[in-house]
Amino acid sequence: MRTIQSAFNQWDDGGNLDKKLEQAKSELLKDPIVQKALIKKPELTEETLEQGLIKLFEYQKERHHCEQCPGLEKCPNMMQGYQPELVISRGHLDLTYHACSLKAHEVERRKRNDLIKSLYIPREIFEADFQTIDFDGERADAIAEAIEFAGNVNPGEDPMGLYLYGRFGVGKTYIVGAIANQLMKRGVETFTVYTPDFFTEMKNSIGNGTFQEKLNSVKKAKVLILDDIGAETMSPWVRDEVLGSILQHRMFEKLPTVFTSNYNYEGLEKHLMYSDKSGTEELKALRIMERIRHYTKLITIEGKNRRQT
């Protein structure tokens, strides 16, 4: 096994180590990338430079990788997607790192995607786009209203939402998917839930201690989309403790809510009145509907059942 000293002697090549180091240092300091960085550090002393050569070599290597960038996934830098910057810290030459343009773009892309949160909604719904949506005559007015809402909604300032009413299969969920996609482009957080499954999940979450956390995440979304409200099995607890709590908070905070339903306002009111255990409770249903009617615009969507074509 070779000793460290023998390896060192071989690299020294007859006592020329100092010459090799000086040559490497000279080439390093002549590098345009290094020179450009050093010009920005007029306070750098010769002593600090000598002590920080290792950092300077690291800077040169990483920056040359960036000059010949192979793409974010193949980035050879020590911190993938990050570029070094020379700094003087406590009298020593050091490096800090910041995201390159590709990394920053990727972070921003993920951030935009995270703006659309969903529960029980197929992800492909959020590929819906107003540019490609079927703008037929029967749905033209409804789509125009949806486009206007997505372009102008102002959470925290204006609580007005939409109530999309129509028969099965007319494209209500697809339209709200396009709304969510447009809001993502604007940087507006959107939370979309399939209401029947969400209410079931809220019941189950009482047992595992996550009820309040889940309720708060929906209550506080900048724009909330409740898809297919009225399709759930209604109970006083769902109506008053879940739906009522959500709408109460959103009303006070001026946060818009978008609903889709197979019921119009009157039909949903009747649905909210009745439960298997409590019979008919008109006053409590009216209280919920007051918040829905007052803070949404009713949009009726006509047309054929697209699920059958």
Side-chain angles (χ1 to χ4, degrees), residues 151-171:
N152 298 302
V153 64
N154 190 12
E157 298 294 333
D158 184 356
M160 283 301 294
L162 298 177
Y163 188 96
L164 276 61
Y165 155 68
R167 294 179 295 123
F168 292 100
V170 295

Side-chain angles (χ1 to χ4, degrees), residues 35-51 85-94:
Q35 288 183 349
K36 184 177 179 179
L38 293 178
I39 288 174
K40 297 178 181 179
K41 297 288 182 290
E43 72 277 25
L44 185 64
T45 65
E46 185 68 26
E47 182 182 1
T48 303
L49 180 62
E50 287 289 339
Q51 294 174 349
E85 289 291 339
L86 283 177
V87 296
I88 299 176
S89 176
R90 297 180 180 178
H92 296 283
L93 199 61
D94 205 352

Side-chain angles (χ1 to χ4, degrees), residues 54-63 65-66 75-87 94-100 103:
I54 296 299
K55 293 292 184 180
L56 203 56
F57 275 112
E58 182 182 335
Y59 176 83
Q60 179 196 42
K61 178 183 176 182
E62 300 268 273
R63 279 292 183 168
H65 288 161
C66 295
C75 175
N77 281 0
M78 182 170 58
M79 295 176 61
Q80 191 178 61
Y82 287 83
Q83 295 177 324
E85 289 291 339
L86 283 177
V87 296
D94 205 352
L95 300 179
T96 61
Y97 284 81
H98 67 269
C100 70
K103 181 68 175 180

Side-chain angles (χ1 to χ4, degrees), residues 189-206:
E189 180 199 42
T190 308
F191 205 145
T192 304
V193 298
Y194 178 62
T195 308
D197 285 350
F198 168 65
F199 287 153
T200 299
E201 174 64 21
M202 294 305 293
K203 292 178 185 177
N204 296 335
S205 68
I206 294 176

Side-chain angles (χ1 to χ4, degrees), residues 20-186:
K20 288 184 176 180
L21 290 175
E22 282 299 319
Q23 182 180 354
K25 174 184 173 183
S26 177
E27 292 176 355
L28 173 69
L29 296 178
K30 290 178 182 178
D31 189 316
I33 289 177
V34 174
Q35 288 183 349
K36 184 177 179 179
L38 293 178
I39 288 174
K40 297 178 181 179
K41 297 288 182 290
E43 72 277 25
L44 185 64
T45 65
E46 185 68 26
E47 182 182 1
T48 303
L49 180 62
E50 287 289 339
Q51 294 174 349
L53 285 177
I54 296 299
K55 293 292 184 180
L56 203 56
F57 275 112
E58 182 182 335
Y59 176 83
Q60 179 196 42
K61 178 183 176 182
E62 300 268 273
R63 279 292 183 168
H64 274 285
H65 288 161
C66 295
E67 288 288 310
Q68 301 172 358
C69 177
L72 185 58
E73 293 184 359
K74 296 181 179 180
C75 175
N77 281 0
M78 182 170 58
M79 295 176 61
Q80 191 178 61
Y82 287 83
Q83 295 177 324
E85 289 291 339
L86 283 177
V87 296
I88 299 176
S89 176
R90 297 180 180 178
H92 296 283
L93 199 61
D94 205 352
L95 300 179
T96 61
Y97 284 81
H98 67 269
C100 70
S101 59
L102 294 181
K103 181 68 175 180
H105 179 77
E106 175 64 14
V107 170
E108 183 62 25
R109 184 189 67 81
R110 291 182 180 181
K111 182 180 178 181
R112 288 197 306 269
N113 287 344
D114 287 343
L115 289 172
I116 295 184
K117 301 179 177 68
S118 65
L119 291 173
Y120 320 109
I121 298 289
R123 192 65 191 176
E124 58 267 21
I125 288 297
F126 298 112
E127 297 176 2
D129 194 288
F130 287 124
Q131 299 297 323
T132 57
I133 199 168
D134 187 0
F135 213 98
D136 58 70
E138 291 181 301
R139 302 193 306 168
D141 290 344
I143 295 172
E145 292 280 2
I147 291 173
E148 182 178 358
F149 172 83
N152 298 302
V153 64
N154 190 12
E157 298 294 333
D158 184 356
M160 283 301 294
L162 298 177
Y163 188 96
L164 276 61
Y165 155 68
R167 294 179 295 123
F168 292 100
V170 295
K172 300 184 296 295
T173 301
Y174 193 85
I175 291 174
V176 295
I179 289 175
N181 191 38
Q182 186 64 31
L183 291 175
M184 178 194 71
K185 295 175 183 177
R186 287 183 54 200

